[in-house]
Amino acid sequence: MTEKGSASELLSQAYERLREADLQGASARLDDALAADFESEEVLFALACAAWWKERLERLDGCPSPFERGEFVLSQWKGFLAFQMRRPGEYDAARYAFKRFAFQTALREFRTLGPEDSESWEPELALRIGRCLKGSGDFDGALEKLEGAARERRDAPEILAELADVYALVNEARTSKALFREAFFLNPQRIDTAFLECPALVRLVEHVRGLGFRSPELEEWIPVYGSLLGVFSVKRELKPIEVGRLRQSVYELENEVKENAERRSLLTPRLINRYFWLIDHYINAKEDRSRIEEVLLKIKLMDPNVHKQYVA
């Protein structure tokens, strides 16, 4: 067996340990892989990732409960994504293994909560377990957990967005698009896009970011451009009570945009998205064209560029 072959085998063993959330075992095999091939860029990348996680996880003892420890690990995942971006290279196997490690580590913490403890953390716990199962590659388990949570909390955008993400990953595009549209309508600010993996949604977020928007405005513009670019193209008919709530929401937002200049950059995309929903309702209900034109004019006055793309 050649030295490089030995290093490759040791890397595979390290990645298997990571998938089992065994960072210490993985690090030992990575050290052996470096001794076998000290010039391997992949080994050096994996060692850097292992060191990054080791330093972060040393802080876990400061978290008093399993829920907070799991939450801490998930919060570090976003930092790890930024760390990876600073180290370019085709190391897909390593990136996937550390992803599995992060979500399996968080999942292990969440699952140590007893029934009496976990009840007090619902539905936050269901969301996080579903997110961890998705990140670990268990899409069936994630669907089961998130669907149950969504039945209990139909008004929770963060749960609907995670559920939409899993549906996208199992190639249920139509259901995914409908749920994403619903989630971002309810409240974009409660959706953490760093945990979403749907390729179309990721591209949409990057497109909006490329236009110069940053949080919290970025999240509000996602459903606007999701409609313009066809990502949120699956729509449903509104119930009469929902139409009433939509109109009331539009009325309140119109007044707030006029009266609160400091929040206008945040409220404008939110109002435009509701205009889109109102137009969709008018079309489905076969309302007079003049009502649609009235809303289109409001959009044009608020953002001529969005109006141009919408009517194109």
Side-chain angles (χ1 to χ4, degrees):
M1 181 181 294
T2 65
E3 287 188 346
K4 283 197 173 183
S6 177
S8 177
E9 183 178 341
L10 288 163
L11 268 175
S12 296
Q13 292 174 10
Y15 295 159
E16 186 59 36
R17 295 297 183 278
L18 287 171
R19 287 191 283 271
E20 297 170 358
D22 178 8
L23 183 61
Q24 183 175 352
S27 296
R29 281 156 182 80
L30 289 173
D31 287 338
D32 292 341
L34 182 65
D37 183 1
F38 62 87
E39 293 183 343
S40 170
E41 294 292 336
E42 184 175 354
V43 172
L44 293 171
F45 172 80
L47 278 167
C49 292
W52 191 96
W53 276 108
K54 181 180 179 182
E55 192 275 329
R56 268 69 183 177
L57 294 185
E58 287 174 351
R59 309 176 198 170
L60 270 183
D61 292 339
C63 301
S65 75
F67 183 91
E68 289 167 304
R69 288 195 291 273
E71 185 74 341
F72 173 79
V73 175
L74 289 183
S75 72
Q76 295 308 297
W77 170 249
K78 291 188 281 186
F80 184 63
L81 289 176
F83 170 78
Q84 287 188 86
M85 289 181 66
R86 297 194 298 270
R87 306 181 77 91
E90 297 297 325
Y91 311 124
D92 291 346
R95 296 180 197 278
Y96 181 69
F98 279 100
K99 175 186 172 187
R100 288 284 298 270
F101 164 76
F103 286 101
Q104 284 284 4
T105 300
L107 181 62
R108 183 174 58 194
E109 295 292 344
F110 291 131
R111 281 181 163 167
T112 62
L113 285 165
E116 65 284 354
D117 298 315
S118 60
E119 183 177 345
S120 66
W121 290 106
E122 292 285 358
E124 290 84 359
L125 180 60
L127 166 66
R128 284 155 179 80
I129 289 178
R131 179 177 286 161
C132 289
L133 290 169
K134 180 191 72 174
S136 301
D138 183 0
F139 298 148
D140 289 340
L143 280 176
E144 182 179 359
K145 196 68 179 179
L146 292 168
E147 283 175 343
R151 283 192 293 271
E152 294 294 323
R153 290 284 306 277
R154 296 180 184 273
D155 62 342
E158 60 273 35
I159 294 175
L160 293 182
E162 283 289 346
L163 185 56
D165 203 42
V166 181
Y167 272 117
L169 297 176
V170 298
N171 298 317
E172 294 285 350
R174 184 172 180 82
T175 303
S176 174
K177 287 183 175 184
L179 287 171
F180 269 134
R181 182 173 181 265
E182 200 82 22
F184 277 92
F185 174 80
L186 288 169
N187 191 341
Q189 297 303 318
R190 284 169 54 185
I191 299 171
D192 194 336
T193 59
F195 290 108
L196 301 179
E197 301 178 41
C198 166
L201 198 282
V202 171
R203 289 193 298 270
L204 173 61
V205 173
E206 289 307 310
H207 176 81
V208 177
R209 186 175 285 116
L211 296 174
F213 296 110
R214 297 293 180 268
S215 296
E217 287 81 5
L218 180 143
E219 285 76 14
E220 300 292 341
W221 283 105
I222 287 173
V224 173
Y225 282 94
S227 294
L228 295 176
L229 300 175
V231 181
F232 295 172
S233 58
V234 179
K235 304 164 186 177
R236 65 176 179 84
E237 189 172 342
L238 298 179
K239 299 174 183 177
I241 191 171
E242 291 177 313
V243 175
R245 289 172 181 166
L246 175 60
R247 286 174 171 154
Q248 180 65 24
S249 175
V250 166
Y251 174 76
E252 291 173 355
L253 280 170
E254 286 177 338
N255 286 333
E256 195 171 357
V257 167
K258 293 175 185 176
E259 298 170 1
N260 196 335
E262 293 181 355
R263 299 192 68 216
R264 193 166 296 164
S265 63
L266 192 70
L267 299 174
T268 294
R270 190 178 301 179
L271 178 54
I272 290 174
N273 187 45
R274 275 155 176 72
Y275 283 152
F276 287 170
W277 277 64
L278 193 56
I279 290 173
D280 291 334
H281 165 67
Y282 286 157
I283 293 172
N284 288 333
K286 296 180 172 57
E287 294 277 357
D288 189 88
R289 179 68 191 180
S290 63
R291 305 192 76 170
I292 298 174
E293 294 295 339
E294 180 183 351
V295 180
L296 286 173
L297 178 59
K298 291 180 178 180
I299 295 174
K300 186 176 184 178
L301 293 172
M302 293 191 75
D303 194 312
N305 183 52
V306 167
H307 175 268
K308 182 178 179 180
Q309 292 182 64
Y310 187 74
V311 300

